[in-house]
Amino acid sequence: MEISLTRADMTVQKDRLYFDSYSDNSESIRGKVVLDVGAGTGVLSIFCAQAGAKKVYAVEACSIAEQAQITVKHNNMEDRIEVIRGTVETVDLPETVDVIVSEWMGYALLHESMLNSVLYARDKWLKPGGIILPSKAELYITPVIDPVVEDRLHFWYTVKDQYGVDMSCMSGFARKCIMNSDITVSSVTCEDVLSHPARFAELDLHSVTPEELRSVKGQFRCESFGSSAVNAFCVYFTVTFPCPDSTAPLVLSTSPCKPETHWKQAVLYLDAPVEVVQDTPITGEVRMYPSEENARHICIHKTPSKISCLSIYLS
Amino acid sequence: MEISLTRADMTVQKDRLYFDSYSDNSESIRGKVVLDVGAGTGVLSIFCAQAGAKKVYAVEACSIAEQAQITVKHNNMEDRIEVIRGTVETVDLPETVDVIVSEWMGYALLHESMLNSVLYARDKWLKPGGIILPSKAELYITPVIDPVVEDRLHFWYTVKDQYGVDMSCMSGFARKCIMNSDITVSSVTCEDVLSHPARFAELDLHSVTPEELRSVKGQFRCESFGSSAVNAFCVYFTVTFPCPDSTAPLVLSTSPCKPETHWKQAVLYLDAPVEVVQDTPITGEVRMYPSEENARHICIHKTPSKISCLSIYLS
């Protein structure tokens, strides 16, 4: 619900899912006490009230809390929703809660995410046996070819034909600039994906600890669909809402092969393209951990021959 | 020639123009001494050497100077091009110059531009009667309708139908967020332009002073093409290369109705849309001046009824 960065039509998909999940969780929400961590405009709190929550505490640290208060009033839900301006680490609630809801996910899941605040709220305010929506997050990786980057790098070889100036030496420099850049958030096209995705980490929101968040890692193995150059890896996430009222859980996926969300995908470029053929195994390990400057660092080792180690700082 | 921000294919248009202008200025460049302010990859210096310059001083403060040096060597121009790492304010040249070339333009012309450095170089190193390429910059403004913004704001009125939640109060808040944002650099579509553009300022590079740059301003008058809502103004610039060898000067235009450049356009949103009909006069004054934090500030008054005053900080 970020106004200036997110296209409103993209929030719909996300909100729709939350809306549906609360409807499908009516058994978990009806008559229950809910805490909305980082409530923003208050829309999730209102969804919970619609789904029958007895009381919703909408905690929001930023000035948008005032808008949430107005919206709650316009919708005649002041008796059920209490907007509290402050951080969840500092506010004082009058009671513990049955359910925690939050839209906490950042780029590449953990970049500028509010997950630590959700875990703090869980450990302080969630009743034993209480639930968290969404309840699970998963991280995926897949090799990709970014043809735009290759075109841009190839450009330097074409300058001679256009202007009679040999600028081919710029190509290597430009590639280094791209490799050394901070994490790139961009829309990966499904047709540039070169294998089935590999899941490398799963976070159970009910049990994961802040300490575990400091080093989220996992191994992966993919097999390429066919002959191509690999010049990057794409990292994306899903979050899952269990739906006891329904047959299947609801999954919000930021896969490049699903409708685009404002999270897009994180792209980690290789030092040099690697040629693969059909069924070439691509294995490696991903680790995501905070850098010393309150940032997150992703390192990818591609094995068996260690072809690249990418350092991406998520500040 | 910025690697990470500019698509290489967009630099071609710009470089082509510089290339052509040097060819058409062969009389001004052949046998002359040239200073390239902020030489970057060195490509403009090489163009000047190709056009017959006796000597080119390529001054570049950043590490890309090393790449410029390599490119100069690869093109066997070490005898004619001297790459000097440093700022033009601090380097010491062995001689004054006949010509200054530079690609100094920033967003909305002056945002993060190197024009002050070009003027410094002019006053310190340019011989009397020497020339500057480009020699002139002009600023234009035109009223536009940004339908995407209106759609995004209208979205809040649609939430009730989708989710049963009245979030219409968010629309005004969201508009304020957009109005209060820093200058927006985006691609304006030609069909969203609502009048012929009005030129509000012209800078003659040979005579403009650093003091004058501290307050670039001008009045404008447009007449709308037809019935529409105006919700923003678009500001863009052109720079002109005189071409004594040719019949007409070469103009690099960043107009929304010309091929896109990496400068795109600057968009200044109004507090509220204003309805206009055919030939409605739209008059005003634009002032661009640095804020106290080394930034630039644009204020637009729309008269006769002062409908809006936009404050856009260019940091």
Side-chain angles (χ1 to χ4, degrees):
Chain A
M1 282 289 179
E2 164 88 41
I3 310 310
S4 51
L5 295 177
T6 308
R7 284 180 57 106
D9 53 353
M10 288 192 177
T11 70
V12 174
Q13 182 204 12
K14 179 182 73 186
D15 292 345
R16 172 108 261 156
L17 212 77
Y18 274 87
F19 179 75
D20 290 345
S21 89
Y22 298 166
S23 305
D24 287 345
N25 270 289
S26 61
E27 205 176 305
S28 318
I29 292 178
R30 181 161 297 122
K32 298 295 171 65
V33 179
V34 177
L35 168 57
D36 182 357
V37 177
T41 62
V43 68
L44 300 189
S45 294
I46 293 173
F47 290 166
C48 289
Q50 287 176 326
K54 182 172 73 176
K55 184 79 186 182
V56 185
Y57 298 102
V59 176
E60 172 56 51
C62 301
S63 64
I64 198 166
E66 295 165 24
Q67 296 300 314
Q69 184 62 61
I70 295 168
T71 302
V72 166
K73 192 174 174 182
H74 277 198
N75 289 277
N76 300 311
M77 291 181 168
E78 290 164 291
D79 55 336
R80 278 166 290 161
I81 301 175
E82 185 176 339
V83 178
I84 304 174
R85 178 137 184 207
T87 65
V88 81
E89 286 82 359
T90 56
V91 299
D92 199 24
L93 303 184
E95 59 186 320
T96 54
V97 304
D98 304 295
V99 182
I100 289 176
V101 300
S102 183
E103 195 277 83
W104 54 267
M105 299 84 77
Y107 295 116
L109 190 66
L110 299 173
H111 178 209
E112 293 182 353
S113 96
M114 289 196 305
L115 184 51
N116 273 313
S117 295
V118 172
L119 301 191
Y120 184 95
R122 176 195 68 190
D123 296 340
K124 187 168 181 182
W125 296 110
L126 190 64
K127 287 178 189 165
I131 65 167
I132 305 176
L133 296 173
S135 63
K136 184 171 72 170
E138 290 161 286
L139 279 156
Y140 293 85
I141 191 166
T142 182
V144 295
I145 172 72
D146 180 341
V148 174
V149 160
E150 292 307 314
D151 284 353
R152 286 173 59 189
L153 296 174
H154 178 70
F155 163 78
W156 298 106
Y157 290 96
T158 69
V159 180
K160 185 152 193 177
D161 282 345
Q162 290 186 76
Y163 302 118
V165 182
D166 180 355
M167 299 198 78
S168 56
C169 70
M170 280 298 298
S171 186
F173 178 78
R175 190 179 289 275
K176 263 191 224 164
C177 290
I178 293 169
M179 301 309 113
N180 293 338
S181 64
D182 285 350
I183 191 167
T184 304
V185 174
S186 69
S187 296
V188 173
T189 308
C190 187
E191 66 195 26
D192 295 336
V193 170
L194 301 175
S195 83
H196 291 295
R199 192 180 71 165
F200 67 88
E202 175 180 348
L203 305 178
D204 178 341
L205 278 280
H206 291 91
S207 60
V208 68
T209 64
E211 291 65 39
E212 286 166 342
L213 280 192
R214 295 185 62 80
S215 177
V216 173
K217 64 181 176 185
Q219 294 188 322
F220 67 88
R221 179 191 170 91
C222 305
E223 289 182 355
S224 49
F225 290 140
S227 295
S228 177
V230 177
N231 72 351
F233 284 92
C234 158
V235 170
Y236 69 90
F237 66 89
T238 63
V239 296
T240 301
F241 300 83
C243 294
D245 301 2
S246 175
T247 48
L250 285 171
V251 177
L252 168 57
S253 173
T254 62
S255 159
C257 299
K258 297 284 181 180
E260 190 176 348
T261 70
H262 80 271
W263 288 285
K264 302 180 182 174
Q265 289 82 34
V267 182
L268 318 171
Y269 290 96
L270 295 175
D271 293 340
V274 178
E275 294 294 330
V276 295
V277 295
Q278 190 179 332
D279 298 331
T280 298
I282 301 170
T283 62
E285 188 182 69
V286 190
R287 284 176 288 151
M288 302 171 76
Y289 52 91
S291 82
E292 289 179 7
E293 310 88 37
N294 190 28
R296 291 189 177 273
H297 181 94
I298 299 179
C299 194
I300 297 186
H301 297 266
K302 186 170 172 298
T303 53
S305 60
K306 185 189 150 195
I307 291 174
S308 76
C309 175
L310 300 173
S311 300
I312 311 288
Y313 285 91
L314 308 182
S315 63
Chain B
M1 285 287 179
E2 165 87 41
I3 310 310
S4 51
L5 295 176
T6 310
R7 283 179 56 104
D9 52 352
M10 288 193 177
T11 70
V12 175
Q13 183 204 10
K14 180 182 73 187
D15 292 344
R16 172 108 259 158
L17 213 76
Y18 273 88
F19 179 76
D20 290 345
S21 89
Y22 298 164
S23 305
D24 287 346
N25 270 289
S26 61
E27 206 175 305
S28 318
I29 291 178
R30 180 161 300 121
K32 298 295 172 63
V33 178
V34 177
L35 167 57
D36 182 356
V37 178
T41 62
V43 68
L44 300 188
S45 293
I46 293 173
F47 289 167
C48 289
Q50 286 176 325
K54 183 173 70 176
K55 183 80 186 184
V56 184
Y57 297 102
V59 175
E60 172 56 52
C62 301
S63 64
I64 199 168
E66 295 164 26
Q67 296 299 315
Q69 184 63 62
I70 295 168
T71 301
V72 166
K73 191 174 175 182
H74 277 200
N75 289 277
N76 300 312
M77 290 180 167
E78 290 164 291
D79 56 334
R80 278 166 290 160
I81 301 175
E82 184 175 340
V83 178
I84 304 174
R85 179 140 184 204
T87 66
V88 81
E89 287 82 358
T90 56
V91 299
D92 198 25
L93 303 184
E95 60 186 318
T96 54
V97 304
D98 304 295
V99 182
I100 289 177
V101 300
S102 183
E103 196 277 82
W104 54 267
M105 299 85 78
Y107 294 116
L109 190 67
L110 298 174
H111 177 210
E112 294 182 352
S113 95
M114 288 195 306
L115 183 52
N116 273 314
S117 295
V118 172
L119 301 190
Y120 183 95
R122 175 195 70 188
D123 296 342
K124 186 168 182 182
W125 296 111
L126 190 64
K127 288 177 187 166
I131 65 168
I132 305 176
L133 296 174
S135 62
K136 184 170 72 171
E138 290 161 287
L139 279 155
Y140 292 85
I141 190 166
T142 182
V144 295
I145 172 71
D146 181 340
V148 173
V149 160
E150 292 306 315
D151 284 352
R152 286 173 57 187
L153 296 173
H154 179 70
F155 163 79
W156 299 105
Y157 291 95
T158 69
V159 180
K160 186 153 192 174
D161 283 345
Q162 289 187 75
Y163 302 118
V165 183
D166 180 355
M167 299 198 78
S168 56
C169 70
M170 278 298 299
S171 186
F173 178 79
R175 190 178 289 277
K176 263 190 225 162
C177 290
I178 293 169
M179 300 309 112
N180 294 336
S181 63
D182 284 350
I183 190 168
T184 303
V185 175
S186 69
S187 296
V188 173
T189 308
C190 187
E191 65 194 28
D192 295 336
V193 170
L194 301 175
S195 84
H196 291 296
R199 191 180 68 165
F200 66 89
E202 176 180 346
L203 306 178
D204 178 341
L205 277 280
H206 291 90
S207 59
V208 68
T209 65
E211 291 66 39
E212 286 166 343
L213 280 193
R214 295 184 63 82
S215 177
V216 173
K217 64 182 177 184
Q219 294 188 322
F220 67 89
R221 178 190 170 92
C222 306
E223 290 181 353
S224 48
F225 290 140
S227 295
S228 178
V230 177
N231 71 351
F233 285 91
C234 158
V235 170
Y236 68 89
F237 66 88
T238 63
V239 297
T240 301
F241 300 84
C243 295
D245 301 1
S246 175
T247 49
L250 286 172
V251 178
L252 168 58
S253 172
T254 62
S255 161
C257 300
K258 297 284 182 181
E260 190 177 350
T261 70
H262 81 270
W263 288 285
K264 302 179 180 173
Q265 289 82 36
V267 182
L268 317 171
Y269 290 96
L270 295 174
D271 294 340
V274 178
E275 294 294 330
V276 296
V277 296
Q278 191 180 331
D279 297 333
T280 298
I282 301 170
T283 63
E285 187 181 70
V286 190
R287 283 176 289 151
M288 303 171 76
Y289 51 92
S291 83
E292 289 179 5
E293 311 87 36
N294 189 30
R296 292 190 176 273
H297 179 94
I298 300 179
C299 193
I300 296 186
H301 297 266
K302 185 171 173 301
T303 53
S305 60
K306 183 189 152 193
I307 291 174
S308 75
C309 176
L310 300 174
S311 300
I312 311 288
Y313 285 92
L314 309 183
S315 62

